[in-house]
Amino acid sequence: MVKTEAEPVPVEPPPAEGELSEAEARRVDFAWSAAMVGSLALVFALLSVFGGVAVPVLLALAMAYVLNPLVTAMERRGLNRTLGTSVVFTGSLLLLIGAVLYLIPVFREEAVKLPDFFRRASERVVPQVESLLGRPLPDLLRQRMTELGAQASEILQSAGPTAARLVASFAGNTARVVATLLGLMVVPVLGFFFLQDYPQLVGMVKGLMPRRAVGLVGRRFSEVDDVLSAFVRGQITVGAILSVLYGTGLWFARIDLALVIGVIAGFGNMVPYLGTGLGIVLAGLGLMLSWQGPWQLAAVAGTFLVGQMAEGLFITPKVVGDKVGLSSVAVIIAILAFGELFGFTGILLAVPTTAILKVVLSVVVERYKRTGLYTGEQPVP
């Protein structure tokens, strides 16, 4: 008797979302929402208790998340995942080193101007303001502005030696130095391995999901991914573009510290109105100190007008789109609340966390509106 190989038993694919009953889908969505809220709470708890360990891991995961689309695109073109990760990592490292080597001398040159900038501000801004108002300022206000300018100049002149003393004091604590260096060294190492194993990590998470819920839960995670990618990649891109626009325009207007003001105004745009407001104030101050004629005022006004129009009409709609969907008021409240609760780390994580919670809330509201409690089609027990 000839033995024949047993044919493999076909594995049925998981049911699509439409094959779940409304009650099943509701339970899955509520469980997913609770899991997301619990995961965010766990992240902030780890940051509060084990910040030295949790921060490098989160930075490495963020690095892998940001760079994964590039490696995936190379992989689709036939490049090995490990080789693609090495290429992207090396390219990013070289780009970062090049940017630092270029920007350090530029910012050093700008920083040298700061003491004289504030000294001249205390001497020249008051007469400029008085000429614009057509009347002298109160003596007390004139005296305070002069004192503030002199104090700012003295503080900035002593900033270098003070920073050197702080570094020396910090370096005296060997354990702290070793921990900091290890943390900085671990981030790229973990980031490389997270990026290389990104598909396996995602597959492992999917493999733990109940089979009947894979389709629905996968769609929810796709919504979260859309929100996070729109914020992380989009806002960084928008900030860089606006920094170039503002810096170029202010440089053309011959404003002192044009690069610094441009970067503050560009990346400050992540907080609605903050970057633009600070940029206008600093540019106005620089305009008073380097006044060469009305054409400068027109150039500065045109720079911020063009920047705001480009950001609102072209840059943000094309780069970010409407996937984040957070109002300016919600962003400001989130930054204030998370900053108060968790400090600087909370400020950094405020907007992405709020965006994720917005997706969770929309899912909960969507399911609630399908219940008998909302529609009134079924009696409430």
Side-chain angles (χ1 to χ4, degrees):
M1 181 177 179
V2 180
K3 294 183 179 180
T4 59
E5 296 183 0
E7 296 182 358
V9 179
V11 179
E12 295 183 1
E17 177 190 351
E19 298 180 14
L20 295 175
S21 66
E22 177 61 27
E24 289 177 317
R26 186 186 307 122
R27 285 196 297 268
V28 169
D29 270 342
F30 286 164
W32 176 84
S33 301
M36 291 299 297
V37 174
S39 299
L40 291 174
L42 178 62
V43 167
F44 281 102
L46 291 175
L47 287 173
S48 300
V49 180
F50 305 105
V53 177
V55 170
V57 174
L58 287 177
L59 289 176
L61 286 172
M63 182 186 301
Y65 178 78
V66 171
L67 297 178
N68 179 64
L70 294 176
V71 179
T72 302
M74 292 184 176
E75 194 175 15
R76 289 173 180 171
R77 295 178 178 272
L79 194 64
N80 180 270
R81 178 84 188 182
T82 302
L83 182 58
T85 302
S86 302
V87 170
V88 170
F89 232 77
T90 304
S92 301
L93 184 61
L94 292 176
L95 183 63
L96 179 62
I97 293 175
V100 170
L101 292 178
Y102 171 76
L103 290 176
I104 284 180
V106 174
F107 276 101
R108 182 185 302 167
E109 180 182 352
E110 299 285 358
V112 171
K113 301 178 183 177
L114 285 174
D116 183 61
F117 180 83
F118 282 100
R119 181 184 57 79
R120 287 187 293 120
S122 64
E123 296 174 355
R124 297 176 58 181
V125 169
V126 172
Q128 293 282 357
V129 172
E130 289 179 340
S131 64
L132 290 175
L133 295 177
R135 63 178 63 184
L137 294 176
D139 292 338
L140 180 60
L141 182 58
R142 290 171 58 92
Q143 181 181 356
R144 292 306 181 193
M145 292 186 67
T146 303
E147 292 176 355
L148 287 174
Q151 291 173 0
S153 179
E154 293 174 1
I155 291 172
L156 289 169
Q157 287 176 344
S158 62
T162 302
R165 288 195 298 270
L166 289 175
V167 171
S169 175
F170 181 79
N173 191 331
T174 307
R176 186 183 301 174
V177 173
V178 172
T180 303
L181 292 177
L182 286 177
L184 294 176
M185 294 173 60
V186 163
V187 171
V189 175
L190 290 178
F192 179 88
F193 287 107
F194 285 156
L195 183 58
Q196 180 182 3
D197 298 333
Y198 195 89
Q200 286 80 4
L201 294 174
V202 174
M204 181 179 66
V205 173
K206 288 184 177 180
L208 295 176
M209 298 178 189
R211 294 298 86 192
R212 289 185 60 81
V214 168
L216 179 56
V217 174
R219 187 164 71 87
R220 298 309 183 196
F221 275 117
S222 296
E223 295 174 5
V224 173
D225 179 66
D226 288 341
V227 169
L228 286 180
S229 61
F231 173 77
V232 176
R233 302 173 189 131
Q235 290 296 337
I236 292 176
T237 304
V238 170
I241 294 174
L242 289 178
S243 298
V244 173
L245 286 177
Y246 290 140
T248 303
L250 296 176
W251 172 82
F252 176 78
R254 298 182 182 179
I255 300 297
D256 290 339
L257 306 176
L259 177 61
V260 175
I261 297 174
V263 171
I264 292 174
F267 284 98
N269 185 68
M270 293 182 180
V271 181
Y273 312 118
L274 177 63
T276 303
L278 285 176
I280 291 175
V281 171
L282 294 174
L285 183 60
L287 188 63
M288 292 181 181
L289 299 177
S290 58
W291 180 258
Q292 299 180 16
W295 70 270
Q296 281 186 299
L297 179 60
V300 171
T303 296
F304 283 97
L305 180 61
V306 170
Q308 285 298 296
M309 291 181 63
E311 186 269 335
L313 298 177
F314 302 104
I315 300 175
T316 297
K318 295 293 183 182
V319 176
V320 179
D322 57 354
K323 293 179 180 178
V324 176
L326 294 177
S327 66
S328 300
V329 176
V331 172
I332 294 173
I333 293 176
I335 291 175
L336 292 176
F338 281 91
E340 179 69 22
L341 292 173
F342 304 104
F344 183 69
T345 305
I347 293 176
L348 294 178
L349 297 178
V351 176
T353 301
T354 306
I356 294 173
L357 292 177
K358 174 182 177 293
V359 176
V360 172
L361 181 61
S362 66
V363 170
V364 172
V365 171
E366 175 188 346
R367 289 303 175 187
Y368 163 69
K369 288 185 175 181
R370 297 183 183 181
T371 62
L373 179 64
Y374 177 80
T375 62
E377 296 177 356
Q378 298 177 356
V380 179

